[in-house]
Amino acid sequence: MFLALTAATPQRVASVAERAARITHNFSLLRNVIKLGRDEVGEHLLLSHELGFTIIQAHIQGAFNPAEPVLDFIYQAIGRQKLLWGFVNRLFCKQWDSGGHYAMLKQFLSKLPRKKADVDESTRVDSSTEPSSSMDILDSQCAAGKTQNTNRGSSSTVKRASSIFPTSTISGIEALIPFKEVPSLEKMNLFISKLNLCCVTFDFNDPTKNTVEKDIKRKTLIELVDFVASCAIKFTDPAILAMCRMCAINLFRVFPPNYRSRRLSGGSGARDGENDDDEPCFDPAWPHLQIVYDLLLKIVSSPCLDAKVAKKYIDHSFIVKLLELFDSEDPRERDCLKTIMHRVYGKFMVHRPYIRKSINNVFYRFVFETEKHNGIAELLEIFGSIISGFALPLKEEHKIFLWRVLIPLHKPKSMGVYYQQLSYCIAQFIEKEPKLASTVIRGLLKYWPIINSQKEVMFLGELEEILEVINMVEFQKVTVPLFWRIGCCINSSHFQVAERALFLWNNDHIVTLIAHHRQVILPIILPALERNCQAHWNQAVLNLTLNVRKLFVEMDEKLYDLCLAQFKEEQAMLSSEAEKRKEAWKQLEKAAGVQPVIGNTTVLVSPI
């Protein structure tokens, strides 16, 4: 069949229609020739009549250079649609003698890695004539095809999974040869083939389904990880493309809605946070996903990956898809994604502004729209390391990020999940530029919780961290609103809030700041301290209040006495006003009781 195919090539076909007819006539023969070198999109392209006209049109327009070496052309175009066009064009539309065709094909196919495959009895040969290369297998296939074409109903060809471009059907997945059995020059081609094999996905909800194929894929992924870890050659464009495609097929997916959390948060709010202690949801496909993530991490971290080449494939759309995976409920997956995104940000400098912008968009959607996302803590952890690398002085873009993103992140009810990462990011900004401390404190006061005691405790803790590094100038800008809020916390009926507020006086740096501004602070704080001493129910809070009051007395006794006298005077005035109001109401009630009821006049009735 192969000799007949090459001998039938014309010298020159003048008519376009005649060329198309001959190409269409030889499609069935061409399938056998190209069978070992097709990819998953090649088969239906070869069977398309439209392809023949496209090839002839490209030939007439000079789209293919006749002087270009055929073997180099095929290797450059391998794995892409261009391979099919160029291969068919060379075979049918150019003036090649049959010997040249045969030598070219044999040279190309002999370089492909061999795979031992079981054959049918009709195509089995004895050991003395066993094919020694992919080209010999091709010859035996073509010879068998002659008899099969005479009576197609009586026999059928044996299907084999190509060792270079395996089929993507689950039933046809087979293990490929190991890397150690192929020469070094062919390892990258085998690497691409193994990546294509791993593009097959399985249903892991049923552990008894496709167990053999799942194990083959798992072993292949492990082999790929080992190859990348020990690879000493640069990754080519087709290899990077195949890697990104395999990761996209295995990793990029839509997560099912979390009906449990939606149901809990959709009520009156009393049950918000009730599911915080529930065990996380683990993905049943994690045994394979973990290896894919490990492979992607090693690829990105590998010195053999040229960032200038890889940026064409690890592009904006790929990064956005990775960020969408941070919403996974599996904490193991989010941890892997965090490490990978660290490496991507460090290696691809051209993508850094886009990564920051995309993460900002996730934060915006979380704060102002959904208030539901599983990966905020991990994304903040990534940003913590990014902030530490900001150059000084800080750009306006970074300051806007602080005011519009980080500070509003104090608003959601679930702040406790990512509180540590958020406070670390805030501390990094203040460490870079100390004058931002007053801006952060104003933001905290803006979003200060009123009825959520646990959040108040967290706010007070973050506030103490900021006050530890604030300078005098910035502290003076926020003294009045800050200590007015602290005074409210001291009088809180929730003992943890009051206790945490009073613990601020255990910090020596904060006490020094207060001592320098005691003329402003003591008149604000003293009324809260006196009210606690008179009426607070918790003994621990009462003891801490007495200690703080004693500290103020030792700090400036005259000022304390003056403020105490002023407080007592204000209390007396308030008591006098309260008595006056009470007496006025009594007189109104008495006057109303004397007047007769006429018509629909409203009557004030005393309770029984």
Side-chain angles (χ1 to χ4, degrees):
M1 178 182 294
F2 182 79
L3 294 177
L5 173 64
T6 56
T9 305
Q11 290 284 336
R12 188 75 169 172
V13 182
S15 171
V16 173
E18 186 177 352
R19 289 190 187 185
R22 181 163 295 278
I23 291 176
T24 303
H25 175 72
N26 286 296
F27 269 140
S28 60
L29 304 180
L30 184 60
R31 287 186 64 199
N32 291 326
V33 175
I34 201 67
K35 196 169 191 176
L36 295 178
R38 73 171 187 267
D39 59 6
E40 60 270 18
V41 300
E43 186 173 0
H44 71 269
L45 287 175
L46 287 173
L47 294 177
S48 171
H49 290 266
E50 186 179 357
L51 179 63
F53 295 99
T54 306
I55 295 169
I56 294 175
Q57 183 181 6
H59 170 66
I60 294 173
Q61 296 175 354
F64 301 102
N65 182 10
E68 184 182 12
V70 176
L71 188 60
D72 293 342
F73 174 84
I74 292 176
Y75 268 103
Q76 291 173 6
I78 195 166
R80 290 175 285 176
Q81 213 171 22
K82 189 177 179 183
L83 167 65
L84 304 172
W85 287 19
F87 194 65
V88 178
N89 180 62
R90 301 288 183 184
L91 194 59
F92 286 96
C93 299
K94 297 294 180 184
Q95 298 181 19
W96 291 72
D97 61 317
S98 60
H101 280 129
Y102 186 87
M104 180 270 293
L105 287 173
K106 185 170 183 178
Q107 184 182 9
F108 168 60
L109 294 175
S110 63
K111 289 180 176 293
L112 304 180
R114 290 182 55 198
K115 181 180 73 66
K116 297 180 180 179
D118 296 334
V119 296
D120 189 79
E121 290 297 333
S122 62
T123 59
R124 189 187 299 273
V125 295
D126 56 43
S127 59
S128 62
T129 61
E130 182 179 359
S132 59
S133 66
S134 300
M135 189 62 211
D136 295 329
I137 298 175
L138 172 64
D139 290 339
S140 52
Q141 284 182 330
C142 293
K146 290 183 179 180
T147 59
Q148 292 166 357
N149 287 335
T150 60
N151 188 4
R152 296 192 181 187
S154 60
S155 63
S156 60
T157 57
V158 179
K159 282 193 174 183
R160 294 179 179 86
S162 169
S163 61
I164 296 300
F165 297 103
T167 56
S168 60
T169 56
I170 293 179
S171 59
I173 185 173
E174 295 181 18
L176 301 180
I177 57 178
F179 283 103
K180 62 183 180 181
E181 295 184 13
V182 297
S184 299
L185 295 177
E186 298 300 332
K187 285 185 177 181
M188 194 57 66
N189 290 336
L190 183 58
F191 175 73
I192 296 173
S193 301
K194 289 180 180 289
L195 288 173
N196 290 337
L197 182 146
C198 294
C199 289
V200 182
T201 56
F202 302 98
D203 181 13
F204 285 87
N205 293 316
D206 185 2
T208 62
K209 188 177 181 181
N210 302 116
T211 55
V212 176
E213 289 81 2
K214 290 177 183 177
D215 189 60
I216 291 175
K217 180 179 177 181
R218 183 185 63 82
K219 291 179 180 178
T220 304
L221 286 170
I222 294 175
E223 192 176 359
L224 288 170
V225 172
D226 295 337
F227 173 76
V228 173
S230 60
C231 184
I233 57 177
K234 292 288 185 180
F235 291 104
T236 60
D237 281 45
I240 301 172
L241 177 61
M243 178 65 197
C244 292
R245 178 174 175 270
M246 188 274 294
C247 291
I249 292 175
N250 285 275
L251 300 179
F252 300 161
R253 60 205 189 277
V254 178
F255 297 111
N258 190 350
Y259 292 106
R260 180 184 61 181
S261 62
R262 182 176 297 179
R263 182 173 64 252
L264 292 177
S265 62
S268 61
R271 298 180 66 184
D272 285 339
E274 186 174 310
N275 58 334
D276 291 345
D277 297 331
D278 291 347
E279 293 184 0
C281 179
F282 295 112
D283 196 319
W286 180 247
H288 281 203
L289 293 177
Q290 182 181 18
I291 309 176
V292 176
Y293 278 120
D294 193 18
L295 178 59
L296 179 58
L297 176 61
K298 290 188 179 298
I299 283 280
V300 173
S301 305
S302 174
C304 298
L305 182 71
D306 188 355
K308 295 181 180 179
V309 177
K311 69 180 182 181
K312 297 182 295 184
Y313 307 102
I314 303 178
D315 55 3
H316 290 177
S317 60
F318 190 88
I319 291 171
V320 168
K321 291 293 184 181
L322 276 180
L323 291 175
E324 289 176 357
L325 294 176
F326 275 91
D327 200 19
S328 171
E329 291 190 2
D330 195 329
R332 302 169 299 181
E333 182 170 10
R334 299 198 302 268
D335 191 62
C336 289
L337 285 165
K338 177 185 64 178
T339 307
I340 291 172
M341 192 56 66
H342 270 295
R343 299 295 186 271
V344 170
Y345 188 88
K347 188 153 194 168
F348 298 92
M349 296 185 65
V350 68
H351 291 329
R352 288 183 178 182
Y354 184 79
I355 292 175
R356 294 197 299 268
K357 180 180 177 182
S358 300
I359 295 178
N360 289 355
N361 292 336
V362 175
F363 290 147
Y364 287 143
R365 193 176 302 110
F366 170 71
V367 173
F368 301 107
E369 294 181 12
T370 63
E371 289 198 5
K372 293 181 179 63
H373 197 284
N374 295 311
I376 299 298
E378 288 78 10
L379 291 174
L380 283 172
E381 191 168 342
I382 294 172
F383 243 109
S385 61
I386 293 175
I387 295 168
S388 63
F390 284 165
L392 295 177
L394 291 177
K395 297 180 181 179
E396 191 65 24
E397 167 198 350
H398 305 326
K399 297 178 182 179
I400 292 175
F401 168 74
L402 171 65
W403 180 253
R404 294 185 179 178
V405 178
L406 290 184
I407 293 179
L409 278 171
H410 292 82
K411 178 182 177 182
K413 298 178 182 179
S414 57
M415 193 196 80
V417 177
Y418 54 84
Y419 162 70
Q420 293 182 351
Q421 292 82 0
L422 178 59
S423 60
Y424 176 76
C425 291
I426 296 288
Q428 288 290 311
F429 264 106
I430 298 176
E431 182 179 348
K432 289 281 183 179
E433 194 164 327
K435 66 180 182 180
L436 292 174
S438 59
T439 302
V440 174
I441 291 177
R442 290 192 190 98
L444 289 177
L445 296 176
K446 177 181 178 181
Y447 293 103
W448 197 277
I450 304 300
I451 60 175
N452 191 329
S453 301
Q454 295 302 321
K455 282 187 67 175
E456 276 194 280
V457 173
M458 289 186 284
F459 271 55
L460 288 167
E462 185 175 355
L463 187 61
E464 181 176 4
E465 294 178 2
I466 298 172
L467 292 176
E468 284 180 349
V469 296
I470 197 172
N471 55 45
M472 289 290 182
V473 177
E474 298 302 317
F475 180 77
Q476 188 176 1
K477 294 178 181 179
V478 295
T479 300
V480 174
L482 173 61
F483 279 88
W484 182 86
R485 175 55 61 185
I486 292 175
C488 294
C489 293
I490 290 174
N491 287 141
S492 174
S493 59
H494 196 290
F495 77 97
Q496 289 181 339
V497 176
E499 192 175 54
R500 189 66 186 85
L502 291 167
F503 278 155
L504 294 174
W505 276 263
N506 292 340
N507 189 299
D508 294 336
H509 181 69
I510 296 176
V511 171
T512 303
L513 292 173
I514 294 173
H516 280 81
H517 298 83
R518 59 183 181 274
Q519 301 288 343
V520 178
I521 295 174
L522 187 55
I524 300 173
I525 292 297
L526 184 64
L529 297 176
E530 292 300 322
R531 282 191 288 267
N532 266 12
C533 292
Q534 296 172 8
H536 204 284
W537 63 273
N538 187 272
Q539 186 62 40
V541 172
L542 181 60
N543 293 336
L544 288 172
T545 302
L546 294 174
N547 292 336
V548 172
R549 190 174 67 172
K550 181 180 178 181
L551 187 63
F552 274 115
V553 172
E554 295 173 353
M555 190 181 299
D556 193 336
E557 186 175 359
K558 291 183 178 180
L559 178 62
Y560 177 82
D561 293 337
L562 181 62
C563 292
L564 181 60
Q566 185 178 0
F567 170 73
K568 291 180 178 180
E569 183 179 350
E570 291 176 356
Q571 289 294 109
M573 291 177 59
L574 291 175
S575 300
S576 176
E577 290 178 359
E579 288 293 330
K580 290 180 180 180
R581 286 196 299 271
K582 186 177 179 181
E583 185 64 27
W585 278 110
K586 287 182 179 180
Q587 292 178 2
L588 286 174
E589 291 176 3
K590 183 177 180 181
V594 173
Q595 295 293 333
V597 178
I598 302 174
N600 295 326
T601 304
T602 304
V603 179
L604 180 63
V605 180
S606 300
I608 300 175

